[in-house]
Amino acid sequence: ANSDCAIADDLSGFLGFALSAYNVDPARVYLTGISCGAIGIWDYLAKNGGDAVAATVTISGHGEWAFEEAGCELAQMPPMWAFHGAEDDTVPVVHIEGPIDRIRACEGTDAAGLELTIYPDADHISAIAQTYDGSAGHDIYAWMLEHTNDPAE
């Protein structure tokens, strides 16, 4: 990634700190981010894999740079539910649909672990509220809690 959204190292450092300083269940580490934060999650997964993460929710971001970097290795990432507005002019929806389609085409992809929800009338910002507040009918919190992992030691 070649932007301010390339936060893989920062995110890795934060996760390491949180896991060592707080009483965190390492099997239940979830990442969610909006816009640049969502791109940063993709960046983190491309550089670090998903061993430390049980599931991710990304909103109004893209996986273009992550796929360029990691390619089909992303097929082994933890479950992801990506949300996007069809009317997003900041990060056009093609930039999330493309990488997800390419990952789904990879051999060994768990397609059930990679979900994409497009809000037909939402833009870059309005996709955020309806995802987090549940007004679109999606309970991302229950969905995340359905997932655990066996973190690498």
Side-chain angles (χ1 to χ4, degrees), residues 6 8-10 15 24 31-32 45 65 74 84 90-91 103 114-115 117 120 122 142:
D9 294 340
D10 295 331
L15 286 175
V24 174
L31 299 178
T32 183
L45 294 171
W65 300 324
L74 288 172
H84 217 92
T90 305
V91 180
I103 292 166
L114 184 56
E115 299 183 42
T117 297

Side-chain angles (χ1 to χ4, degrees), residues 53-79:
V53 179
T56 65
V57 171
T58 61
I59 307 166
S60 301
H62 72 72
E64 296 279 359
W65 300 324
F67 193 83
E68 287 174 17
E69 178 164 327
C72 284
E73 290 178 25
L74 288 172
Q76 305 306 315
M77 70 182 174

Side-chain angles (χ1 to χ4, degrees), residues 12-26:
S12 182
F14 171 77
L15 286 175
F17 170 78
L19 286 164
S20 66
Y22 299 105
N23 186 19
V24 174
D25 180 350

Side-chain angles (χ1 to χ4, degrees), residues 2-4 6-7 14 16 31 36 45 48-49 75-77 80 82 84 86 98 101 115 120 138 142 145-146:
N2 51 2
S3 81
D4 292 338
I7 59 170
F14 171 77
L31 299 178
C36 203
L45 294 171
N48 299 289
Q76 305 306 315
M77 70 182 174
M80 175 185 281
H84 217 92
D101 287 346
E115 299 183 42
H138 309 292
L145 290 171
E146 291 172 3

Side-chain angles (χ1 to χ4, degrees), residues 104-128:
R104 286 179 174 156
C106 293
E107 190 174 322
T109 298
D110 177 9
L114 184 56
E115 299 183 42
L116 175 61
T117 297
I118 305 293
Y119 300 122
D121 298 322
D123 62 16
H124 192 69
I125 300 302
S126 61
I128 297 165

